[in-house]
Amino acid sequence: MGYQHTIHQHVYKFRDLKDLLAKASPMRSGDTLAGIAATGYEERVAAQIALANVPLKTFLNEAVIPYEDDEVTRLIMDDHDQEAFAMIAHFTVGELRDWLLTDHAGTAEIKQLKMGLTPEMVAAVSKLMRNQDLIGVARKCEIITRFRNTIGLKGRFSTRLQPNHPTDDPKGIAASIIDGLLYGSGDAVIGINPATDSPAGVYNLLDLIDRIRQQFDIPAQSCVLSHITTTIGLINAGAPVDLCFQSIAGTQQANSSFGINLSVLDEAYEATLSLKRGTIGQNVMYFETGQGSALSANAHHGLDQQTCEARAYAVARKYHPLLVNTVVGFIGPEYLYDGKQIIRAALEDHFCGKLLGLPMGVDVCYTNHAEADQDDMDNLLTLLGVAGCNFVMGIPGSDDIMLNYQSTSFHDALYLRKALGLKPAPEFEDWLIRQGITDNQGNITHTQLTGKLIAHLF
C-alpha cells in the first residue's frame, strides 16, 4: 500500500508505511546515513501530513517488519489489547495527537490506553509533535515502580548513582558511591558499568554495594550492568542481585547482536523474581536503549531509528521493569549529530516510553566528538524535568571516566530538584533526612553521616 501528498503541485509518494514513517521523522544524521531520510523539509512536511491522515487501524494490518521474520513484531501484535484500543480505534494518527493534547486525555485515560497502543503508533504521533507537545503529554503520565523505594510519583525526581571506574577499583567505586549519597543521589539505583564482564569481578562489585547498603540501611537498589547471561549465572551462584540489567533494541536481529532474545529475557526475569529481594515491590528489571543501536548493528530492516527505538519499549514493557532509560547521545554523532538532534530524540523517547507505560529515565549525554556541549545538556535536563522524567544519571563531575562520555552530575540533579521543586523517592528522602545529609527542605547539610561513610571507605 502506498501513500502520497501533494505540495505546490508536486506529488510526494511513499511506497509503504515504513517509508512514510522514515520520511516523516525530524532530521537526524542516522536516518541520513541509512539512506531513508526525507530529501528536504518539503518532503518531510508532505510525509507528516500524509502520516497524520493514516488510520491507527492501519498499524495493526501493515507490519513494518514482517510478523514471521521478527519476534519483536510478534510480541507487539500478540500483546496488543483490542479492548484498550477500542476507545481510539476510529482515530487517525493526527486525531490521536489532537486528543492527547486535550484535557480529556488525563493521567488515568492515558494509563488505560497503554496496552492498546503499539510502538509504531506512538512513534508516528511523536513525529507530528513539537517539542512542547512531547513535554506536555509526557508530563501527564505517571508511571510508578517499586523495589526498595517508590520511583515515578508526581513531584519526585530520582537519580541513578553511576560510580564507574576504569579498573573496577573497589576504593574508587566506593568513593564515588559515598560522594553521590552525600549529594542525595542514588534513589533510582546504585548502578555500576563494570570494566569487564568477569563473573568474579561482577560478584565483588555486587557484594561491595550490598555491604554499603546494609551497613547504612539505605532504601535503594543496586545493579551491576553486566551481560544478562552473566547475571543469570551469578543469581544461580547466590550473588546479591537486586536488579537484572540488559541493553535491548527494537528488532530481533539487533537483540541477537547483543547476544539475547526474548527467551533469555524470560529466563532472567524469572530468576531475578525468584530472589524476592524487593521490600515494597518486585519490579526487578533495568533496561537501557538508544536511537541508532539497530542501525549500528545493520539490523534496522530499513526502519527509521526512532521507530526502532519505540519498538524496544515493547520488549521492555513485557517484563514490568523498575527502570528504563534511553542513553540518548551515547552512540555518537553518526546517529544524533548535534545538541538539537539529541534534545529532540530524548524528548521523543521519553514521550513514547511513557505512553507505552514505561518508567522512563534519560541518560542526558553526548560523546566528545558530537556537536554538543554541557549547555545543551543543561537545556535537555531542564526540559526533561518539566516533562516529568522519572530519573537521570548522577556521575562525579558529569564525566564518566570509564565509558568516556559526558553525562549529568550529582550537582545537576540538585539543580533540577531545586529549580522545579522536586524531591527524591519518598523512602530515600526520609533516609537522607534521618542521616543528616539533607534537611526537611532538601538542602544538603553533610553532617552526621559524612564521617561514618568516609571511615567505611578507609
Side-chain angles (χ1 to χ4, degrees):
M1 177 180 177
Y3 303 86
Q4 66 181 45
H5 185 75
T6 303
I7 296 181
H8 298 149
Q9 298 183 327
H10 182 91
V11 180
Y12 289 94
K13 296 183 178 181
F14 311 98
R15 65 180 179 275
D16 53 23
L17 188 57
K18 179 163 61 176
D19 185 43
L20 182 62
L21 287 165
K23 297 296 194 299
S25 282
M27 172 64 184
R28 64 208 57 200
S29 52
D31 291 339
T32 301
L33 177 67
I36 59 174
T39 55
Y41 284 107
E42 189 170 283
E43 185 180 27
R44 184 171 297 112
V45 169
Q48 290 169 343
I49 294 171
L51 182 61
N53 292 319
V54 173
L56 293 179
K57 290 179 179 178
T58 302
F59 292 88
L60 303 176
N61 300 319
E62 187 179 344
V64 293
I65 302 175
Y67 183 92
E68 59 274 13
D69 295 344
D70 187 272
E71 67 175 2
V72 178
T73 298
R74 293 193 288 275
L75 173 67
I76 291 166
M77 295 298 188
D78 294 348
D79 279 4
H80 183 253
D81 187 334
Q82 288 285 352
E83 185 175 342
F85 180 63
M87 64 183 288
I88 58 165
H90 58 290
F91 282 174
T92 63
V93 176
E95 288 169 338
L96 175 60
R97 172 195 175 274
D98 294 345
W99 178 79
L100 287 170
L101 291 170
T102 68
D103 292 335
H104 299 295
T107 301
E109 288 77 14
I110 293 174
K111 183 177 181 180
Q112 182 183 354
L113 184 62
K114 66 180 183 181
M115 294 307 296
L117 292 167
T118 69
E120 292 85 357
M121 291 177 193
V122 300
V125 76
S126 75
K127 297 175 193 297
L128 306 183
M129 289 185 153
R130 296 167 59 185
N131 285 3
Q132 69 171 242
D133 298 339
L134 298 173
I135 293 167
V137 174
R139 185 175 174 81
K140 299 179 187 183
C141 301
E142 186 180 41
I143 312 299
I144 300 167
T145 56
R146 295 178 174 88
F147 190 79
R148 290 196 187 95
N149 57 35
T150 307
I151 299 169
L153 293 166
K154 286 187 182 294
R156 303 281 175 171
F157 175 72
S158 298
T159 61
R160 168 188 163 189
L161 202 172
Q162 186 170 310
N164 295 346
H165 192 279
T167 63
D168 287 342
D169 178 72
K171 282 196 173 182
I173 288 171
S176 292
I177 292 174
I178 291 169
D179 189 24
L181 291 172
L182 292 175
Y183 282 102
S185 187
D187 50 340
V189 65
I190 301 172
I192 303 170
N193 295 91
T196 73
D197 208 54
S198 155
V202 173
Y203 192 111
N204 290 337
L205 295 178
L206 286 166
D207 183 64
L208 169 66
I209 309 175
D210 206 52
R211 283 189 285 112
I212 294 174
R213 180 188 65 80
Q214 291 193 60
Q215 178 164 348
F216 298 101
D217 194 26
I218 307 170
Q221 38 283 332
S222 66
C223 185
V224 177
L225 283 67
S226 55
H227 191 270
I228 198 166
T229 54
T230 301
T231 305
I232 292 171
L234 289 168
I235 290 171
N236 294 332
V241 174
D242 286 347
L243 306 183
C244 182
F245 167 81
Q246 183 55 47
S247 294
I248 57 173
T251 73
Q252 179 179 336
Q253 188 179 350
N255 283 325
S256 294
S257 76
F258 292 152
I260 63 165
N261 54 38
L262 295 182
S263 178
V264 171
L265 293 173
D266 289 345
E267 179 185 357
Y269 179 55
E270 294 302 326
T272 314
L273 271 180
S274 72
L275 299 177
K276 295 182 171 61
R277 289 175 58 85
T279 54
I280 64 169
Q282 294 297 329
N283 297 116
V284 298
M285 301 300 284
Y286 175 20
F287 296 116
E288 286 188 343
T289 65
Q291 287 194 30
S293 59
L295 175 59
S296 68
N298 195 28
H300 62 297
H301 297 270
L303 194 61
D304 71 271
Q305 64 184 40
Q306 190 257 331
T307 304
C308 275
E309 170 73 7
R311 283 168 56 93
Y313 302 154
V315 177
R317 185 170 63 177
K318 183 178 192 289
Y319 302 100
H320 312 288
L322 182 77
L323 307 166
V324 179
N325 73 269
T326 169
V327 192
V328 65
F330 182 72
I331 303 181
E334 298 84 2
Y335 306 95
L336 296 169
Y337 179 72
D338 56 14
K340 181 180 177 68
Q341 291 188 16
I342 291 170
I343 288 169
R344 173 70 192 190
L347 295 177
E348 289 170 348
D349 295 349
H350 179 252
F351 164 88
C352 290
K354 284 289 184 68
L355 275 191
L356 291 168
L358 289 179
M360 286 301 294
V362 177
D363 190 342
V364 178
C365 64
Y366 64 101
T367 57
N368 288 310
H369 62 310
E371 290 294 322
D373 58 27
Q374 212 64 39
D375 286 339
D376 294 314
M377 299 305 104
D378 287 348
N379 293 343
L380 176 53
L381 175 68
T382 306
L383 293 173
L384 287 167
V386 175
C389 185
N390 281 26
F391 69 102
V392 298
M393 308 301 112
I395 297 172
S398 76
D399 183 7
D400 192 303
I401 59 173
M402 195 279 282
L403 292 173
N404 292 309
Y405 78 115
Q406 309 304 311
S407 186
T408 45
S409 70
F410 307 137
H411 298 80
D412 293 333
L414 287 177
Y415 145 73
L416 196 68
R417 285 173 177 162
K418 286 287 186 182
L420 299 180
L422 302 171
K423 296 181 177 182
E427 300 85 354
F428 193 77
E429 180 191 21
D430 291 345
W431 179 82
L432 292 171
I433 295 169
R434 288 198 310 272
Q435 300 298 337
I437 295 174
T438 65
D439 61 21
N440 289 324
Q441 285 72 48
N443 300 310
I444 297 294
T445 58
H446 284 187
T447 53
Q448 300 172 25
L449 195 60
T450 305
K452 293 179 183 178
L453 282 166
I454 293 173
H456 179 82
L457 173 60
F458 294 106

